[in-house]
Amino acid sequence: MDDAEQAEVAESDGKNPDGDPEKPEKASGSVPEGRRRVPYWLSQVPYALVLSALAAGIVVVAAAYFKRGPAIIAGALLLAATFRLFLPKDWIGLLAVRRRWVDLLTLVSLALLLIVLAWVAPQLSA
């Protein structure tokens, strides 16, 4: 990747081209003067909420509810997409993997596929 591409990706991620999130560039203006940076642990709260919803979906699947489990997991993916869409850069935490539009496309696509899977999966009789 050349310097122009690195700078473009870093600008969309809120980091400088060296990848150091602690020292944002002055020109990028990632944190306005009147607003303080969010503590690292607080920026991971949306990620923890999504992980707990995913864990709940996996537990439901393990309990042999093959229609409800994927629907809960799809809901967790849609929650992650909502967080990624509406939260500012310094609140995203580990939910920011790639550029915003790539993350949204991936999360929504996987959620829709899981919803279709939950819909067409046969109900197991007890």
Side-chain angles (χ1 to χ4, degrees):
M1 200 181 325
D2 64 350
D3 289 339
E5 289 175 345
Q6 266 187 336
E8 183 180 336
V9 170
E11 184 178 296
S12 70
D13 292 342
K15 299 179 186 175
N16 63 11
D18 295 332
D20 189 6
E22 297 300 321
K23 295 186 278 187
E25 291 179 327
K26 298 290 184 189
S28 68
S30 62
V31 179
E33 293 274 335
R35 200 172 86 190
R36 295 184 353 198
R37 285 185 61 97
V38 175
Y40 178 75
W41 67 271
L42 192 57
S43 69
Q44 300 308 317
V45 169
Y47 183 68
L49 290 173
V50 170
L51 277 183
S52 58
L54 284 171
I58 291 171
V59 167
V60 170
V61 169
Y65 292 102
F66 298 109
K67 286 180 119 6
R68 293 182 192 147
I72 293 172
I73 294 171
L77 291 173
L78 290 175
L79 178 67
T82 304
F83 284 151
R84 186 69 173 107
L85 180 63
F86 291 115
L87 290 179
K89 291 180 204 173
D90 50 344
W91 275 82
I92 297 294
L94 292 174
L95 288 176
V97 179
R98 293 163 295 277
R99 292 187 178 170
R100 182 173 290 192
W101 67 271
V102 175
D103 286 341
L104 288 173
L105 182 69
T106 304
L107 289 167
V108 171
S109 299
L110 288 173
L112 289 176
L113 287 172
L114 279 170
I115 289 170
V116 169
L117 173 71
W119 190 6
V120 300
Q123 182 67 37
L124 298 177
S125 58

